[in-house]
């Protein structure tokens, strides 16, 4: 539920260009922290397997297996969004079928429906929600596995800690929407239903992951979803930086990234200090 806290920012009225750049850059900072967070969690079992090899307590098989899973998840998470964006660009640019037997007239425009009809900002917000959802699914696995093993106190602390930690993620999802302008240059405000849908995509996987994690324990599955999340987040970060670069405000980009990183590490520090 805490992911919903930042969603109302997506309905800001007439945000100034500087504010839009700053919000976009702050989202980059939050997402950079999440990439570090998920990659460090995905690397942990690989590091433990390598340590076992060094201590003579295991072979390289486990380390190589986890490494291949991580590489595959990272590649799928990153490249699938590249392919999806190219496919979507073709859908948007596809010419409409002519209504008569002759060639398409100059006045006819392409008919696009569904996600292809969305603005670039809305599609980018959806990609961010999907990436954060994959990250939160892995968090849910940790909660469910703790409860399944009888460590109820740890599971409760994980719920509280992740809830606090995820309060910044809603902002990261909707930040691109502050720069969503219509043909007249006016801010296009998303509906509450659209914002709640993005929140569900980003937050509901925590609940689903908890149910899955309570049913069985699988570290490889956790590594796979963490790597998938990292790949997708890296892709949307490059998109957000590209948007910010067009404004030619490197100062606001640096300030926003710094504040976003501090917000991410601060919430993580509070969670760690609480014993999670």
């Amino acid at each position: 539920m805490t992911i919903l806290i930042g969603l109302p920012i997506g309905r800001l009225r007439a945000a100034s260009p500087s504010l839009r750049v700053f919000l976009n850059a702050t989202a980059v900072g939050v997402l950079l922290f999440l990439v570090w967070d998920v990659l460090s969690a995905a690397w942990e079992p690989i590091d433990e397997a390598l340590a076992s090899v060094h201590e003579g307590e295991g072979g390289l098989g486990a380390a190589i297996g986890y490494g291949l899973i991580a590489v595959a998840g990272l590649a799928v998470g990153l490249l699938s969004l590249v392919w999806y964006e190219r496919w979507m660009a073709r859908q948007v640019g596809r010419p409409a079928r002519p209504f008569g037997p002759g060639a398409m007239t100059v006045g006819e425009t392409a008919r696009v429906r569904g996600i292809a009809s969305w603005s670039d900002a809305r599609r980018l917000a959806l990609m961010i929600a999907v990436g954060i959802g994959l990250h939160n699914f892995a968090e849910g696995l940790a909660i469910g596995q703790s409860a399944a093993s009888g460590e109820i106190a740890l599971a409760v602390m994980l719920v509280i800690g992740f809830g606090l930690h995820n309060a910044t993620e809603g902002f990261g999802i909707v930040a691109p929407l502050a720069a969503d302008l219509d043909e007249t240059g006016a801010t296009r405000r998303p509906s509450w239903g659209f914002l709640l849908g993005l929140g569900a995509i980003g937050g509901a996987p925590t609940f689903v992951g908890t149910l899955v994690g309570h049913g069985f324990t699988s570290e490889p599955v956790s590594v796979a979803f963490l790597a998938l999340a990292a790949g997708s987040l890296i892709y949307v970060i490059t998109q957000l930086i590209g948007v910010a670069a067009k404004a030619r405000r490197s100062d606001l980009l640096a300030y926003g990234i710094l504040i976003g990183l501090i917000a991410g590490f601060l919430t993580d520090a509070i969670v760690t200090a609480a014993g999670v």
Side-chain angles (χ1 to χ4, degrees), residues 8 16 32 40 53-54 59 85-86 107 112 114 128 135 147 150 180 186 207 219 235 237 241 249:
S16 66
L32 280 174
S40 60
V53 173
H54 176 72
E85 190 69 10
R86 289 182 177 179
V112 290
I128 296 174
H135 163 251
D180 191 11
F207 180 73
E219 199 164 45
Y235 178 79
I237 286 172
I241 291 177
R249 290 297 306 272

Side-chain angles (χ1 to χ4, degrees), residues 106-133:
V106 176
E108 291 175 354
T109 57
R111 290 182 175 180
V112 290
R113 298 177 179 178
I115 297 177
S117 65
W118 292 6
S119 64
D120 291 339
R122 291 197 173 201
R123 291 201 298 271
L124 183 55
L126 176 62
M127 290 183 186
I128 296 174
V130 171
I132 288 178

Side-chain angles (χ1 to χ4, degrees), residues 242-270:
V243 172
K246 293 179 181 178
R248 300 181 182 276
R249 290 297 306 272
S250 58
D251 55 338
L252 291 178
L253 179 61
Y255 295 147
I257 290 176
L258 178 61
I259 290 177
L261 282 171
I262 291 174
F265 279 105
L266 181 61
T267 55
D268 188 69
I270 294 173

